[in-house]
Amino acid sequence: MKNNEHIVNLDLPPYERWSFLSNCRNDLNDLLQCYLNDFDDEEFIFEGISSLKQEVISEEYLEEIDYIASISKFTPDQVLSANLYYDILKFYFGCTAFAVNSNGKILHSRNLDWWTDNNLLSEHSAIFDFRKNGKTIFKTVGWPGFIGALSGTRPGCFSLTLNAVLSKDSPELATPVSFLLRDVLSTCDSFKQARETLKSTTIASDCLLLLSGTKSDEMYVIERTPTRFATRDFVNGFIVVANDYKLLENSSESESVLQETSCGRFERVSELLQHKLPSNAEECFKILQDKNVMMKLTVQQMVFDNATGDIELIKTVSK
């Protein structure tokens, strides 16, 4: 299946940037409904949207959300809630990711694990190319109607991916993680600047961030709670992250199947990388598709070439 690729023209006003989505209204409605189904009987979610809009979400993003709502069957508040899925219900997310230095080239790879009926998220996965003056500023891998970033690259600078994790820390009325990742991709023009922003910004919820650059020493996992952080460095030319903290003190008692399988996936990827570092996307995909790494709920597999900004994307089908 050919990957869908869309250009998001940042030279346009925010309300007009996503106009190409008008050609896929049915898909957009199906995806938004998919997210919102998990919010049934959770009215408190929508009660907090007003505070977020007033205190946290930028006017730029709110205008983009308003346009998407205008071509869908949902209200702006519902579309915004769907875009905040990670911060609200992150225990549904898995993910395994790694970065390697292979002969001076940094490759950044990840499985995105997120269960949906009918392979909906897999089928509609797409690459979004955000451009100014006809030039690519950054790219994300996502879905129609989702304006933030869970996975993305700024060509020639860095790539970043988000993995879910749970801590004992309380959530904050602060920047949603997926919006912070888009902010970093949009405004940070160096690995160092991206790293400092991801470490220091107060965020809404816990996460694990894999950040890799273009130089051999630019590979870090940033372990985050809303207000705390720790950074983990690469060893032997690679770094791996799944769904558990390795450095931050944490006493969370809540676990999902994703956290329960985290150590096994982490150890298997580490074992494979210790045996041989992949030198191209095909070899990275072999690791992502290992039977002890890939999960039944994996919907996307991707490899970023940080130097060029090229993205190889595989949409996986649950059986």
Side-chain angles (χ1 to χ4, degrees):
M1 181 185 299
K2 184 178 180 181
N3 295 326
N4 294 323
E5 296 193 23
H6 303 287
I7 295 173
V8 182
N9 186 352
L10 296 173
D11 293 319
L12 294 174
Y15 194 80
E16 300 176 16
R17 293 172 182 168
W18 299 92
S19 59
F20 59 86
L21 294 180
S22 62
N23 297 321
C24 55
R25 282 184 169 88
N26 290 337
D27 296 342
L28 177 64
N29 284 324
D30 288 345
L31 286 162
L32 291 170
Q33 187 65 65
C34 169
Y35 311 137
L36 294 170
N37 283 343
D38 289 327
F39 299 159
D40 284 351
D41 302 321
E42 303 290 350
E43 291 301 322
F44 75 91
I45 292 170
F46 301 103
E47 293 171 0
I49 288 297
S50 294
S51 295
L52 280 170
K53 290 168 67 174
Q54 292 174 9
E55 301 180 38
V56 176
I57 311 299
S58 70
E59 188 62 33
E60 175 186 11
Y61 290 168
L62 290 176
E63 288 185 33
E64 293 185 17
I65 291 291
D66 284 346
Y67 175 78
I68 291 169
S70 76
I71 60 170
S72 76
K73 64 180 183 181
F74 299 100
T75 68
D77 283 359
Q78 288 175 312
V79 175
L80 178 56
S81 296
N83 271 266
L84 301 180
Y85 190 103
Y86 174 81
D87 293 280
I88 298 170
L89 293 175
K90 61 181 177 292
F91 49 80
Y92 284 150
F93 278 84
C95 303
T96 308
F98 63 88
V100 300
N101 171 22
S102 183
N103 298 319
K105 179 169 70 172
I106 306 298
L107 297 174
H108 186 135
S109 309
R110 78 104 108 244
N111 281 346
L112 176 65
D113 305 322
W114 183 359
W115 171 257
T116 55
D117 292 329
N118 303 318
N119 296 301
L120 191 64
L121 291 180
S122 176
E123 178 183 353
H124 297 300
S125 294
I127 296 171
F128 296 90
D129 185 338
F130 292 76
R131 297 184 183 182
K132 282 185 178 180
N133 299 317
K135 179 184 177 181
T136 296
I137 304 300
F138 65 96
K139 298 178 182 179
T140 65
V141 180
W143 306 269
F146 180 73
I147 69 168
L150 301 179
S151 316
T153 186
R154 186 165 175 121
C157 294
F158 58 84
S159 294
L160 50 78
T161 50
L162 164 71
N163 285 25
V165 71
L166 296 172
S167 84
K168 63 181 180 180
D169 296 19
S170 299
E172 295 280 338
L173 181 64
T175 305
V177 177
S178 61
F179 286 6
L180 172 63
L181 266 59
R182 175 171 164 181
D183 290 344
V184 167
L185 288 163
S186 177
T187 63
C188 296
D189 57 9
S190 71
F191 172 88
K192 181 178 180 180
Q193 185 182 7
R195 183 184 63 192
E196 295 308 309
T197 303
L198 293 171
K199 287 179 357 183
S200 63
T201 304
T202 300
I203 52 179
S205 62
D206 315 313
C207 62
L208 299 171
L209 303 170
L210 176 57
L211 176 69
S212 62
T214 58
K215 299 177 182 178
S216 61
D217 61 345
E218 293 181 336
M219 294 185 288
Y220 281 89
V221 170
I222 303 171
E223 300 184 357
R224 286 300 315 263
T225 72
T227 58
R228 296 187 295 143
F229 77 89
T231 57
R232 180 161 55 85
D233 209 343
F234 68 95
V235 178
N236 297 326
F238 68 85
I239 192 165
V240 182
V241 60
N243 298 111
D244 59 327
Y245 292 116
K246 301 297 184 185
L247 296 180
L248 274 184
E249 180 184 350
N250 180 47
S251 61
S252 173
E253 297 179 357
S254 300
E255 280 202 351
S256 70
V257 66
L258 301 170
Q259 279 73 50
E260 291 171 359
T261 64
S262 176
C263 287
R265 287 180 278 120
F266 180 95
E267 291 171 0
R268 179 56 176 164
V269 173
S270 299
E271 176 187 1
L272 293 170
L273 293 175
Q274 286 169 356
H275 177 69
K276 181 179 184 295
L277 293 180
S279 60
N280 53 47
E282 182 180 359
E283 292 178 357
C284 290
F285 282 126
K286 286 182 179 179
I287 294 174
L288 295 175
Q289 293 164 3
D290 181 87
K291 66 179 182 179
N292 294 314
V293 176
M294 183 177 176
M295 303 184 72
K296 290 183 179 179
L297 64 166
T298 299
V299 298
Q300 296 172 347
Q301 297 180 309
M302 65 199 73
V303 179
F304 300 103
D305 184 326
N306 291 359
T308 65
D310 291 339
I311 303 175
E312 296 287 340
L313 173 65
I314 293 177
K315 307 175 187 183
T316 60
V317 177
S318 300
K319 297 180 180 178

